[in-house]
Amino acid sequence: MRNTLIKNGLFFSGDPNQKASIQDIFVDASGKIKKIGAISASEMEVNIIDAEGKWVMPGFIDSHTHYDAEIIASPGLKESARHGVTSVILGSCSVSAFYNTPEDTSDSFTRVEAIPREVMLPLLEEKKEWNSPKEWKEYINKSPLGINVAAFVGHSDLRMKVMGIDRSLTHEDKANKQEQEQMYTLLKEALDEGFIGLSTMDNPWDKMDGNRYWSHKTPSFYSSWKERKALLKLLREKNAVLQGAPNLVTRYNALNYMLASSGLFRKPLKTTMIAMMDLIGDRYIFPLIGFASRAINVLGNANFRMQSPPCPFTVYYDGVDSVMFEEFPSGEALRHLAKELDTRNELIKDPVFRENFKKEIKQKFAPKVWHKDLSKSIITACPDESFVGKNFYELAEEKNLHPVDLFLDTIIQYDKEIKWTTTIANDRKEKYKSLYNFPYNLISFSDAGAHINNMAFYNFPLKMIKIVQDAIDNGKPIMSMEKCIWRLTKEQGDWFNLDCGYLAEGKTADIVIINPKKLHTITEEVEVGTIKEFNNCERLVNRNEGVISRVLVAGKTIFKDDAFVEGYGESKKYGRFLSRVS
């Protein structure tokens, strides 16, 4: 590899206090930044990249992904890489793919994260040759990794390994003292290998796939906070991270995560929880969670962060095939019968069921993530083309039906062939200034690699940059562009104890070059793409032609002119395993 000189670009280091300026960047053959400033190439053998008129910045960090399966089949992680993401964290929401059999692992992943079981299970059966985080790390380091990867250990994965899958899926069986000690030992081994922490899950939506334990919650749900006590103490001692999700139905146990982070009379525990959004269905949640987060950090001496997507949170549904239906009893019943369509359809026809569905979908004061407003739900595809572009209320008026009856009738008739979309959060642009500037959240939560037919936020950093730049252009700035870049890069690298997200002499050259003249091509539209290595499995993707001029990982170009370099993700290694910096 030759040395590389990036010339004439507007340079953003990732430091919010360092004003962007025109600088050159010299990267040596090892992929390290040797010099930043005015540099002449007259006497060097160097590959010159002219970045005049472009912005040069650190590669983005996506700190909440579910690439645990895709990275095995397609280690380039192309949908993130093409949008300038050069570092990701996987193993989120208590599910990781380290310890257990392919079947147990798949069953814990595929329903809740909406990854096709018929793809993930055969993939693991063919490829899985590891049984611990250390062995997984060795496997990943030998693969043609495209971008950098850090990982949590999943609490459900850990619990299944120690207790066995049967005992891990019931409230009746608790982890005994010996099992708690074994979990502690396994987590310590992972942390010593550089894994960044433990991910947990208390949300009852998250359920098992497969025929053996269908509709059981994932194992982490059944664990008590008493059982987790030793694990949290270990995380605190190691300066590692606890990532979690509360019960999104009752919500009150969000306090457990906040209190766990508290540093009163002890060392604070780095804790991050999903998700801080301006929910259409629960407008009070946004200010309430903001108040609580600020209080626990300031008064409780905590190190607590929410996770916040920086753009409208728009989801897509195939019939009722979405985790959102798990948050109310009637929707949960439909999801439970997903494998028995005749039985499910008979249930839908039941007048008592319909009345319950109507009551539950209309409840104004019940906690909810999905607003359940069928007038905000737009049909995007249907065998009856007259449905397309209309919402369920409009169709109900045309047919003189109650909207819920119309909706349920279409599910019986078309099942997954009726596709529709709605925005559930972050629809009010006037709230972005407070969301973007709130100091106790992390701008992330893309869920990349999961819910592949339900949503696509692979380009969330670019969306935030566009929103911030539009506000600057309109004379009503949300924040400086330097601060925006910091929130997407260095802030997260520092908080997660990772050596990435910052450009300085001596740092690894993970670099994104953006064409600001093309920011207008960034939209909320999604397209259908395929994962070639995933049996050509379809997924929703983002496209913003011309915005990303070039992406470099460790000083080597992986993406330019809207195309990946030859052999990317197949034969050549670019990325690295990111170990937690102690």
Side-chain angles (χ1 to χ4, degrees):
M1 174 183 165
R2 298 171 65 185
N3 300 324
T4 298
L5 181 60
I6 303 172
K7 294 281 292 180
N8 306 316
L10 183 64
F11 173 72
F12 295 83
S13 69
D15 183 339
N17 299 312
Q18 183 177 344
K19 188 170 178 58
S21 60
I22 302 298
Q23 301 284 356
D24 303 331
I25 307 174
F26 178 66
V27 182
D28 70 12
S30 72
K32 298 288 187 179
I33 298 173
K34 299 302 289 184
K35 186 176 180 182
I36 297 171
I39 305 169
S40 172
S42 57
E43 298 181 2
M44 292 185 288
E45 183 180 347
V46 64
N47 175 40
I48 297 178
I49 299 171
D50 186 3
E52 185 173 1
K54 308 292 198 312
W55 295 352
V56 181
M57 60 190 67
F60 306 125
I61 299 172
D62 188 345
S63 59
H64 190 115
T65 80
H66 290 281
Y67 275 132
D68 308 69
E70 187 173 334
I71 196 171
I72 301 167
S74 182
L77 302 181
K78 291 181 179 179
E79 279 311 314
S80 289
R82 72 183 304 123
H83 300 295
V85 173
T86 58
S87 300
V88 300
I89 300 175
L90 46 75
S92 301
C93 298
S94 91
V95 287
S96 58
F98 304 140
Y99 295 109
N100 291 282
T101 67
E103 186 176 20
D104 290 353
T105 301
S106 294
D107 285 357
S108 69
F109 260 97
T110 51
R111 177 171 170 178
V112 61
E113 300 304 341
I115 301 169
R117 187 175 187 270
E118 65 273 17
V119 176
M120 184 172 180
L121 178 55
L123 174 68
L124 288 176
E125 289 174 334
E126 177 188 357
K127 298 286 188 180
K128 191 173 186 296
E129 58 187 48
W130 60 88
N131 291 292
S132 70
K134 179 181 179 180
E135 292 174 357
W136 178 87
K137 174 183 167 182
E138 291 169 352
Y139 172 86
I140 288 297
N141 275 330
K142 289 186 291 186
S143 71
L145 202 59
I147 58 179
N148 309 315
V149 176
F152 285 104
V153 172
H155 190 202
S156 288
D157 193 14
L158 195 63
R159 244 181 147 243
M160 284 192 294
K161 169 68 174 178
V162 171
M163 298 178 67
I165 190 169
D166 287 295
R167 293 185 60 244
S168 75
L169 295 175
T170 173
H171 283 301
E172 283 68 40
D173 283 326
K174 304 296 183 184
N176 58 40
K177 184 177 180 180
Q178 183 180 0
E179 288 166 339
Q180 291 178 37
E181 290 174 351
Q182 189 177 354
M183 281 189 258
Y184 179 96
T185 299
L186 292 176
L187 178 59
K188 184 177 184 299
E189 290 173 355
L191 296 179
D192 290 344
E193 287 293 326
F195 286 73
I196 61 174
L198 180 74
S199 69
T200 63
M201 175 57 63
D202 290 300
N203 187 20
W205 300 3
D206 290 31
K207 294 183 179 175
M208 300 289 286
D209 205 343
N211 294 322
R212 300 172 303 158
Y213 305 102
W214 177 254
S215 287
H216 284 68
K217 280 77 167 176
T218 49
S220 182
F221 176 84
Y222 298 98
S223 69
S224 66
W225 282 82
K226 181 180 179 181
E227 178 189 309
R228 303 175 196 184
K229 184 176 180 180
L231 302 179
L232 301 189
K233 182 180 179 181
L234 176 63
L235 295 174
R236 198 183 306 274
E237 291 171 352
K238 294 282 190 178
N239 196 33
V241 177
L242 172 67
Q243 182 221 69
N247 186 318
L248 293 176
V249 177
T250 60
R251 297 184 178 171
Y252 63 83
N253 81 326
L255 290 173
N256 289 335
Y257 288 94
M258 294 183 179
L259 294 173
S261 183
S262 171
L264 291 176
F265 310 111
R266 62 185 182 182
K267 182 180 178 180
L269 170 62
K270 283 190 171 184
T271 305
T272 179
M273 187 175 75
I274 59 172
M276 184 176 180
M277 296 189 282
D278 179 25
L279 291 168
I280 293 174
D282 271 348
R283 291 298 193 190
Y284 70 90
I285 283 295
F286 182 59
L288 181 61
I289 202 71
F291 174 81
S293 299
R294 187 180 297 276
I296 195 63
N297 280 289
V298 174
L299 302 178
N301 189 34
N303 195 347
F304 178 81
R305 298 292 183 272
M306 293 298 297
Q307 297 171 40
S308 298
C311 51
F313 202 83
T314 300
V315 292
Y316 297 80
Y317 299 79
D318 299 339
V320 293
D321 187 22
S322 169
V323 70
M324 296 297 179
F325 280 86
E326 300 281 11
E327 74 171 336
F328 64 108
S330 296
E332 190 177 25
L334 295 183
R335 290 271 289 166
H336 178 67
L337 294 173
K339 296 180 179 182
E340 305 170 41
L341 292 188
D342 289 343
T343 304
R344 185 203 69 178
N345 291 344
E346 286 302 313
L347 177 66
I348 293 175
K349 294 174 185 177
D350 184 346
V352 174
F353 172 83
R354 290 197 173 215
E355 285 306 309
N356 288 335
F357 196 103
K358 290 172 185 176
K359 289 177 184 176
E360 291 165 12
I361 207 170
K362 286 173 62 178
Q363 286 180 327
K364 291 185 178 181
F365 301 108
K368 52 185 177 289
V369 174
W370 173 34
H371 50 68
K372 303 182 185 67
D373 185 345
L374 296 177
S375 71
K376 299 181 185 295
S377 305
I378 310 300
I379 297 166
T380 59
C382 183
D384 185 341
E385 294 184 1
S386 68
F387 282 29
V388 176
K390 298 176 181 177
N391 65 56
F392 290 103
Y393 261 70
E394 291 172 328
L395 288 171
E397 287 183 359
E398 290 177 10
K399 299 179 181 297
N400 197 29
L401 291 170
H402 189 284
V404 169
D405 289 323
L406 183 281
F407 173 76
L408 293 175
D409 288 346
T410 61
I411 297 303
I412 292 174
Q413 186 171 4
Y414 300 119
D415 192 30
K416 294 181 182 180
E417 290 185 291
I418 186 160
K419 302 176 185 295
W420 50 285
T421 182
T422 190
T423 296
I424 65 172
N426 293 352
D427 58 313
R428 301 187 293 183
K429 290 186 177 181
E430 64 270 22
K431 297 295 181 180
Y432 285 1
K433 185 171 185 177
S434 60
L435 179 70
Y436 288 8
N437 286 286
F438 187 65
Y440 304 114
N441 66 354
L442 299 167
I443 304 296
S444 192
F445 189 53
S446 76
D447 255 4
H451 307 286
I452 58 178
N453 291 308
N454 302 126
M455 57 194 192
F457 301 110
Y458 300 98
N459 67 345
F460 75 89
L462 299 178
K463 288 181 177 179
M464 182 175 178
I465 288 172
K466 180 182 185 298
I467 291 166
V468 169
Q469 186 59 44
D470 285 348
I472 292 171
D473 292 343
N474 292 330
K476 298 179 179 180
I478 292 173
M479 58 172 48
S480 69
M481 187 55 68
E482 288 84 355
K483 183 176 181 181
C484 174
I485 301 304
W486 167 72
R487 298 228 70 180
L488 295 166
T489 57
K490 186 177 186 296
E491 180 187 30
Q492 297 201 56
D494 290 347
W495 197 84
F496 284 103
N497 308 314
L498 299 173
D499 187 15
C500 61
Y502 184 43
L503 301 182
E505 293 177 3
K507 293 287 186 181
T508 301
D510 299 328
I511 297 173
V512 177
I513 304 177
I514 285 178
N515 184 351
K517 295 178 181 177
K518 294 289 187 177
L519 290 178
H520 66 275
T521 68
I522 301 169
T523 70
E524 292 301 317
E525 299 298 317
V526 298
E527 300 178 15
V528 177
T530 58
I531 314 172
K532 182 182 70 172
E533 302 87 349
F534 239 35
N535 290 349
N536 289 312
C537 184
E538 288 190 346
R539 70 165 158 205
L540 299 179
V541 299
N542 312 109
R543 291 292 179 267
N544 24 254
E545 187 174 348
V547 176
I548 300 293
S549 294
R550 190 180 293 250
V551 181
L552 298 91
V553 174
K556 299 183 280 285
T557 295
I558 64 168
F559 185 81
K560 65 176 182 177
D561 302 325
D562 288 314
F564 287 97
V565 298
E566 185 176 355
Y568 176 77
E570 297 173 357
S571 59
K572 194 172 181 180
K573 187 174 186 292
Y574 297 90
R576 61 199 185 277
F577 177 83
L578 291 172
S579 291
R580 188 182 85 264
V581 179
S582 300

